[in-house]
Amino acid sequence: MSNEIEAIKDPGLPAHVHRAADTDPVAEKRVERQVAILFAVSAIGTLLLIYSYIFVPQDLFIFVPVMGDQNAHQLGLGLGMAISLFFIGLGAIQWARTLMPDTEVIAHRHEFRSPDDEREDFVKTVKERAGTVGLGRRSLIKKSLGAALGLSALSPLLLLRDLGPVPAKELEKTSWKTGTRLVTDPGNRPILASDLEVGAVAQVLPAVAEGTERALSDIGKDAVLLIRLRPEDFQLTPEKYAMTHDGIIAFSKICSHMGCAVALYEQQTKHLLCPCHQSTFDVTRGAKVIFGPAARPLPQLDITVDSEGYLIARAPFSEPVGPSFWERNSQ
Ligand code: FES
């Protein structure tokens, strides 16, 4: 016994009452089995959850007395989870109440950090007491607890499936293709290069066939901002400049930080501003980030005009649009 913890000899308290399992080996075995059964029921609950998730159809309804018609899939998930957690807790309580050492002690309190030798003494005592809990000896409890804990840890993995497919590749693709016309949003009307005056800004989308409904997710990925400057305003590399048309430049509207819509254009400074965290992009320098948390410029769409003078995409986006965490290959 350490200096800090002493067994109570005669503190004026009622005499300590020993539990049956402390004095009777038969009773000890009995409660050990009880604890193991509780952990086993917990494991059955987890198996029920897994079975319901994988094998019970989501549209199957069954009649349950008092509750009426119930969705069997959800009922199985809920019951399985409840049984799993409830019985693992019950087993732990029963184990602590009936089998773990119940020596009554006095623990002296110190207000400040204990001296090092006392701390070492404490660690030693804890190690000794960990041995006396008897986990090494009680292999039945150890195995059933291990099975129950292991299975209950599996259930969150199943729920990961509900998050849907891994999005990386899907988010890299937009509807822009070589030759796709840029159209007004709303309106779906093609845009003549001459429609845009210097200083103008417009949100555009890729053209879709008449009567075709756009998916909302496509609008988010495909939205492009079209801005017209004087060609001499640009400070672009030759490759980036070749992607513009007569002073018109096009960028993805999705912020490269967290995916908000970059919605504000400052005509004087020629800056695009994301309202979410104030990332600021310089249009004249290819939407280079000049302020804020965004880590890369807005992707630029390569544009030109077709034989009728309408603006079209010369090529799809050459890099993924959207937040940097959607993909891992671009800087
Ligand atoms: S989402 Fe645009 S700055 Fe954060």
Side-chain angles (χ1 to χ4, degrees):
M1 192 75 50
S2 77
N3 293 337
E4 291 195 8
I5 301 176
E6 299 168 2
I8 294 176
K9 300 263 183 337
D10 183 18
L13 295 174
H16 179 66
V17 180
H18 290 287
R19 303 163 304 184
D22 293 336
T23 52
D24 178 1
V26 177
E28 184 188 4
K29 273 285 159 207
R30 189 175 58 242
V31 289
E32 190 174 340
R33 276 196 299 276
Q34 285 171 359
V35 173
I37 287 169
L38 292 171
F39 287 150
V41 174
S42 164
I44 290 169
T46 308
L47 289 173
L48 172 65
L49 183 149
I50 294 170
Y51 178 86
S52 305
Y53 188 85
I54 297 173
F55 296 111
V56 179
Q58 300 203 14
D59 53 0
L60 176 66
F61 281 78
I62 55 169
F63 179 77
V64 181
V66 185
M67 297 167 76
D69 282 344
Q70 294 294 321
N71 181 301
H73 180 82
Q74 291 179 2
L75 193 64
L77 291 183
L79 263 182
M81 177 80 80
I83 292 172
S84 164
L85 297 179
F86 180 73
F87 280 93
I88 211 167
L90 210 57
I93 291 170
Q94 179 69 347
W95 181 16
R97 282 185 63 243
T98 56
L99 291 173
M100 288 191 186
D102 75 334
T103 315
E104 289 174 352
V105 296
I106 296 172
H108 297 291
R109 292 182 58 187
H110 296 273
E111 288 202 26
F112 302 107
R113 187 181 191 277
S114 306
D116 285 344
D117 58 333
E118 290 184 9
R119 291 164 65 86
E120 279 163 24
D121 205 14
F122 171 76
V123 172
K124 199 170 134 223
T125 306
V126 167
K127 283 185 181 158
E128 280 169 16
R129 288 189 163 261
T132 63
V133 168
L135 201 54
R137 244 176 338 114
R138 302 191 194 283
S139 65
L140 187 57
I141 289 185
K142 193 161 84 176
K143 285 179 190 150
S144 55
L145 176 62
L149 283 176
L151 278 170
S152 69
L154 275 182
S155 30
L157 289 181
L158 286 179
L159 303 182
L160 281 180
R161 235 182 74 177
D162 283 345
L163 294 176
V166 177
K169 291 291 168 203
E170 280 311 303
L171 294 171
E172 284 181 19
K173 292 186 209 136
T174 67
S175 310
W176 292 103
K177 297 186 178 57
T178 300
T180 306
R181 275 185 173 170
L182 282 62
V183 294
T184 55
D185 175 36
N188 199 34
R189 278 178 287 100
I191 302 166
L192 288 166
S194 54
D195 288 345
L196 285 175
E197 294 176 356
V198 172
V201 59
Q203 175 178 312
V204 297
L205 289 171
V208 289
E210 206 57 43
T212 308
E213 281 284 313
R214 289 180 199 275
L216 265 181
S217 54
D218 286 346
I219 294 177
K221 284 188 297 180
D222 295 342
V224 157
L225 280 172
L226 213 54
I227 300 158
R228 185 161 207 167
L229 307 181
R230 286 186 298 268
E232 60 271 25
D233 288 336
F234 289 123
Q235 303 166 45
L236 298 171
T237 62
E239 301 82 58
K240 292 277 181 190
Y241 188 77
M243 292 164 72
T244 67
H245 175 79
D246 198 16
I248 303 173
I249 192 164
F251 297 111
S252 166
K253 195 178 174 183
I254 313 179
C255 183
S256 54
H257 176 227
M258 300 280 280
C260 288
V262 176
L264 306 172
Y265 177 60
E266 254 257 358
Q267 217 179 53
Q268 295 294 318
T269 56
K270 303 178 181 59
H271 291 166
L272 279 167
L273 181 79
C274 176
C276 287
H277 312 100
Q278 282 72 51
S279 284
T280 308
F281 305 89
D282 183 352
V283 173
T284 63
R285 291 189 279 166
K288 184 177 176 185
V289 183
I290 54 168
F291 180 78
R296 64 184 178 115
L298 300 171
Q300 186 179 341
L301 183 67
D302 190 353
I303 53 169
T304 183
V305 287
D306 62 15
S307 54
E308 296 173 68
Y310 289 110
L311 287 165
I312 57 169
R314 193 181 351 233
F317 279 107
S318 59
E319 58 182 312
V321 300
S324 302
F325 57 77
W326 282 4
E327 34 69 37
R328 293 284 174 269
N329 297 328
S330 64
Q331 69 279 11

